[in-house]
Amino acid sequence: DTAVSQTPKYLVTQMGNDKSIKCEQNLGHDTMYWYKQDSKKFLKIMFSYNNKELIINETVPNRFSPKSPDKAHLNLHINSLELGDSAVYFCASSQVAGGGDGYTFGSGTRLTVV
Amino acid sequence: GIQVEQSPPDLILQEGANSTLRCNFSDSVNNLQWFHQNPWGQLINLFYIPSGTKQNGRLSATTVATERYSLLYISSSQTTDSGVYFCAVDNYKLSFGAGTTVTVRA
């Protein structure tokens, strides 16, 4: 069983479109995250949710809207996609906010905006 | 925010060699983590190490929190060790360094 699963794995879309990435974890963790990895492999946090409540919103354009219907799911919706949104998006989870000794990352979603 | 610097940026090793990766951070932290991103892009949590030394097989890590640095040691490197190694300070969110790209040649 995959612990943190993201779909889709690859996403190619045109500028201006709206797209969503889904994430689910079956670890029973309380906290979930979205991270963005750019073309230079730099990883940066975007959002964090703890028990469905937004706790970190890291100056991300408001075209990005996370949604957590329950603590096992954290989805990312992106409106009006731009070329600069091309990146790999990672979902992650941890037992508690702040991670402690256990972060589990999904396998990533490679978004290409053309 | 906290600055995280990793060195060297790139490392090429012959299989069987040992190496040390360094991570400096600019402020006190609750926690420090080391990750390995394999060539297929998967991020694996290697160590949770706010202070002291931990070992896991051929890998070990040491954090000296008072001097704001952490070291990751790879011994008897294997080709499967290739990838990017990230350290990240953890103050309720991970702030990553730029990574060290390790290439192990057979």
Side-chain angles (χ1 to χ4, degrees), chain A residues 9 33 35 37 40-45 48 56 58 90 97-103 105-107, chain B residues 31 33 35 37-38 40-45 48 54 84 86 90-98:
Chain A
K9 191 168 177 62
Y33 312 82
Y35 284 84
Q37 187 171 42
K40 296 184 179 177
K41 300 237 179 231
F42 187 69
L43 279 151
K44 186 172 168 59
I45 187 156
S48 173
I56 292 173
E58 196 74 3
F90 285 97
D101 64 351
Y103 281 94
F105 277 76
S107 57
Chain B
N31 191 357
Q33 312 257 359
F35 292 86
Q37 187 169 34
N38 65 25
W40 296 272
Q42 182 68 42
L43 274 162
I44 305 296
N45 205 166
Y48 152 80
K54 290 188 176 181
V84 184
F86 292 101
D90 186 1
N91 283 349
Y92 297 97
K93 63 180 182 181
L94 293 172
S95 296
F96 285 85

Side-chain angles (χ1 to χ4, degrees), chain B residues 4-101:
Chain B
V4 182
E5 294 183 355
Q6 291 186 243
S7 60
D10 298 281
L11 193 57
I12 299 176
L13 300 172
Q14 201 63 35
E15 201 168 29
N18 303 328
S19 64
T20 302
L21 283 58
R22 187 175 179 105
C23 174
N24 293 333
F25 42 95
S26 61
D27 206 345
S28 58
V29 297
N30 294 331
N31 191 357
L32 186 125
Q33 312 257 359
W34 282 96
F35 292 86
H36 176 223
Q37 187 169 34
N38 65 25
W40 296 272
Q42 182 68 42
L43 274 162
I44 305 296
N45 205 166
L46 295 175
F47 293 103
Y48 152 80
I49 186 159
S51 63
T53 297
K54 290 188 176 181
Q55 179 143 13
N56 184 359
R58 295 179 297 99
L59 300 180
S60 63
T62 295
T63 296
V64 183
T66 52
E67 296 186 24
R68 300 178 186 167
Y69 73 89
S70 184
L71 302 174
L72 179 71
Y73 306 95
I74 306 174
S75 64
S76 303
S77 57
Q78 300 179 358
T79 55
T80 52
D81 296 329
S82 295
V84 184
Y85 290 81
F86 292 101
C87 72
V89 298
D90 186 1
N91 283 349
Y92 297 97
K93 63 180 182 181
L94 293 172
S95 296
F96 285 85
T100 294
T101 300

